């Protein structure tokens, strides 16, 4: 089995490599290709990746290349984890929206739109190369904003599934609190990428006992601290929101906080410098502890599970993924991309039925899905007016004056990445 990772020079890749090594019985990789244009980073990451495989007794071959066509040729699955513009572009996404009094974040709001505009054309070009090299290959997208990028891939006819680590993080957390194994936990996870709620936590499968009331009663303070949201919110509504909901439910508080400290991108850039120095140590043959602070916890396990199921292996029968709605949420178009539990197999992902949603959640989902429609249109066709419409539609912007100022700033900061600008 051959897998390719586009964006393989990421400092996060050793976490993925560690998962591939530990879970090799689930996903028996014979060749893994790391693809990245940054040759210096790729050499360091590739060297550590080979040492991790060797330490853990994995017999697979690891190859590095800067050429996408070479890297994806013959691959059974291609994982996308790229960041167009690097941490420098992320730093801009997280800072210039604050000038207009809006949240600066790399996956939602104005910063998230900027990332989508930079990313969608690049991802579609890579996907076309994959299709030419091997039309049967699956594309697993971990590149943010996952919902918009996955929708772009699906609408272009690619065999694609989007993946996020939020759900698997909750699964692990709840299992720890309940003293059960992660496999015992089934989440009623619903929404859009980075806009989700856990409406039930079931033991044993989709029909299992809902222990969410017990979790909230016994561990509500812990969960509230992790999410930085009031416990009263969860107790009142009986759900656990994704931590990304804090940008919506505590917008002004978050804006004030972000204005008083360095951006997350600046923190990660400093961390990456230290990690790359570590990766250059020929004695290092395991992922360093510092990597846990980099983000993306449990991504490797989710990626292995998904790839194994898509390629006919032993993955979990139900997984939280990003895929077409197809009537699952009746208030959205069929071709909207949602993030829910799905049955995953060689034919792709089929969402499980979702109980009717409270208007409190359905309304916000519909609002953001409408924004995603406009964001994808702007990413595919360009133009200032399309950017403005998408910004105006986003609930974290929503005012004419803000949208005007943000449009000018977005274009100014991203001109080198926008062919139409």
């Amino acid at each position: 089995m051959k897998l390719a990772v586009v964006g393989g020079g990421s400092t996060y890749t050793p976490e993925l490599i560690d998962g591939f090594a530990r879970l090799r019985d689930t996903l028996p990789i014979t060749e893994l290709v790391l693809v990245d244009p940054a040759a210096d980073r790729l050499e360091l990451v590739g060297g550590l990746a080979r040492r991790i495989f060797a330490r853990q007794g994995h017999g697979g071959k690891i190859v590095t290349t800067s050429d996408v066509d070479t890297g994806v040729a013959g691959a059974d699955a291609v994982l996308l984890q790229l960041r167009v513009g690097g941490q420098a572009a992320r730093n801009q996404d997280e800072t210039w929206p604050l000038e207009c009094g809006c949240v600066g974040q790399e996956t939602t709001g104005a910063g998230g739109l900027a990332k989508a505009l930079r990313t969608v054309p690049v991802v579609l070009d890579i996907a076309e190369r994959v299709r030419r090299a091997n039309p049967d290959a699956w594309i697993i997208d971990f590149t943010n904003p996952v919902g918009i990028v996955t929708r772009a891939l699906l609408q272009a006819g690619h065999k694609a599934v989007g993946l996020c680590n939020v759900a698997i993080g909750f699964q692990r957390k709840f299992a720890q609190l309940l003293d059960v194994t992660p496999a015992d936990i089934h989440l009623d996870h619903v929404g859009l990428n980075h806009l989700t709620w856990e409406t039930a936590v079931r033991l044993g499968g989709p029909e299992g006992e809902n222990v969410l009331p017990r979790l909230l009663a016994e561990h509500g303070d812990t969960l509230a601290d992790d999410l930085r949201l009031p416990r009263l919110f969860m107790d009142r509504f009986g759900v656990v929101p994704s931590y990304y909901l804090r940008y919506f439910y505590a917008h002004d508080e978050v804006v004030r906080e972000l204005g008083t400290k360095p951006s997350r991108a600046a923190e990660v850039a400093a961390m990456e410098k230290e990690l790359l120095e570590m990766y250059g140590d020929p004695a290092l043959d395991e992922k360093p502890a510092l990597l846990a602070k980099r983000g993306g916890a449990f991504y490797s396990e989710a990626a292995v599970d998904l790839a194994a199921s898509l390629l006919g292996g032993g993955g979990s029968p139900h997984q939280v993924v990003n895929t077409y709605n197809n009537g699952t949420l009746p208030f959205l178009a069929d071709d909207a991309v949602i993030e829910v539990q799905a049955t995953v197999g060689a034919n792709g992902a089929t969402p499980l039925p979702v109980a009717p949603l409270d208007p409190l959640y359905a309304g916000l989902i519909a609002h953001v899905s409408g924004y995603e429609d406009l964001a994808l249109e702007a990413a595919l066709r360009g133009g200032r007016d399309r950017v403005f419409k998408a910004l105006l539609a986003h609930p974290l912007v929503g005012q004419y004056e803000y949208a005007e100022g943000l449009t000018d700033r977005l274009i100014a900061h991203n001109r080198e990445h926008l062919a139409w600008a």
Side-chain angles (χ1 to χ4, degrees), residues 30 106 152 156 206 247 298 320 332 341 372 390 398 413:
T30 55
E106 64 156 341
Y247 297 116
F298 307 115
V320 173
L332 295 184
Q341 285 278 4
E372 291 188 347
H413 284 286

Side-chain angles (χ1 to χ4, degrees), residues 122 162 199 227 275 304 344 386 418:
V122 175
T199 58
L227 299 171
L275 284 169
V304 167
V344 183
R386 294 188 181 93
L418 305 177

Side-chain angles (χ1 to χ4, degrees), residues 215-234:
L215 272 167
L216 292 176
E218 297 178 2
H219 305 287
D221 288 340
T222 297
L223 295 171
D225 287 345
D226 287 349
L227 299 171
R228 300 186 65 199
L229 286 168
R231 175 174 179 171
L232 178 63
F233 177 90
M234 292 183 290

Side-chain angles (χ1 to χ4, degrees), residues 138 154 158-161 308-312 323 343-350:
W138 279 101
L154 290 173
H158 298 290
K159 293 177 61 177
V161 180
S309 293
L310 292 172
L311 299 177
T323 191
T343 300
V344 183
N347 293 323
T350 302

Side-chain angles (χ1 to χ4, degrees), residues 5-273:
V5 179
V6 179
S10 167
T11 55
Y12 185 73
T13 296
E15 171 67 31
L16 190 62
I17 300 300
D18 178 74
F20 288 157
R22 287 186 293 104
L23 302 171
R24 55 186 176 273
D25 290 340
T26 303
L27 189 69
I29 299 171
T30 55
E31 182 178 356
L32 177 65
V33 184
L34 305 181
V35 184
D36 203 292
D40 52 344
R41 294 167 62 105
L42 189 59
E43 180 180 358
L44 295 174
V45 172
L48 176 56
R50 295 186 186 98
R51 295 193 296 272
I52 291 174
F53 263 29
R55 176 190 174 99
Q56 299 197 31
H58 195 299
K61 178 174 68 172
I62 295 179
V63 177
T64 59
T65 179
S66 60
D67 184 74
V68 172
D69 294 322
T70 300
V72 303
D76 298 290
V78 178
L79 279 69
L80 304 181
Q81 58 171 34
L82 56 145
R83 182 184 296 280
V84 179
Q87 293 297 333
R90 176 182 179 175
N91 185 65
Q92 293 179 353
D93 294 343
E94 294 176 341
T95 51
W96 55 261
L98 297 174
E99 298 171 7
C100 295
C102 295
V103 163
Q105 210 278 329
E106 64 156 341
T107 67
T108 190
L113 176 61
K115 193 173 197 303
L117 298 182
R118 294 193 303 269
T119 304
V120 165
V122 175
V123 165
L124 289 179
D125 176 68
I126 293 169
E128 285 299 327
R129 295 167 184 267
V130 173
R131 180 151 53 190
R132 289 197 299 268
N134 182 7
D136 293 325
W138 279 101
I139 295 175
I140 297 173
D141 177 56
F142 193 64
T143 296
N144 283 316
V146 168
I148 295 172
V149 173
T150 301
R151 186 169 179 180
L153 288 166
L154 290 173
Q155 287 188 349
H158 298 290
K159 293 177 61 177
V161 180
L163 182 64
C164 180
N165 70 314
V166 168
I168 196 171
F170 274 131
Q171 183 193 42
R172 269 41 178 188
K173 181 67 175 182
F174 295 156
Q176 177 188 24
L177 293 174
L178 294 169
D179 195 25
V180 298
T181 69
D184 292 324
I185 298 293
H186 177 94
L187 303 176
D188 283 11
H189 176 103
V190 61
L192 310 175
N193 180 241
H194 291 184
L195 191 86
T196 52
W197 296 261
E198 312 307 323
T199 58
V201 178
R202 302 186 185 278
L203 289 181
E207 305 302 324
E209 175 193 1
N210 179 18
V211 294
L212 181 54
R214 173 181 157 196
L215 272 167
L216 292 176
E218 297 178 2
H219 305 287
D221 288 340
T222 297
L223 295 171
D225 287 345
D226 287 349
L227 299 171
R228 300 186 65 199
L229 286 168
R231 175 174 179 171
L232 178 63
F233 177 90
M234 292 183 290
D235 288 340
R236 179 176 293 163
F237 300 111
V239 300
V240 176
S242 152
Y243 47 83
Y244 288 94
L245 266 297
R246 188 167 183 262
Y247 297 116
F248 296 82
Y249 294 147
H251 175 275
D252 293 353
E253 178 183 345
V254 171
V255 170
R256 288 193 295 269
E257 287 177 3
L258 293 175
T260 63
K261 61 181 183 180
S263 69
R264 173 64 178 163
E267 295 175 356
V268 171
M271 202 180 305
E272 287 193 333
K273 184 175 184 296

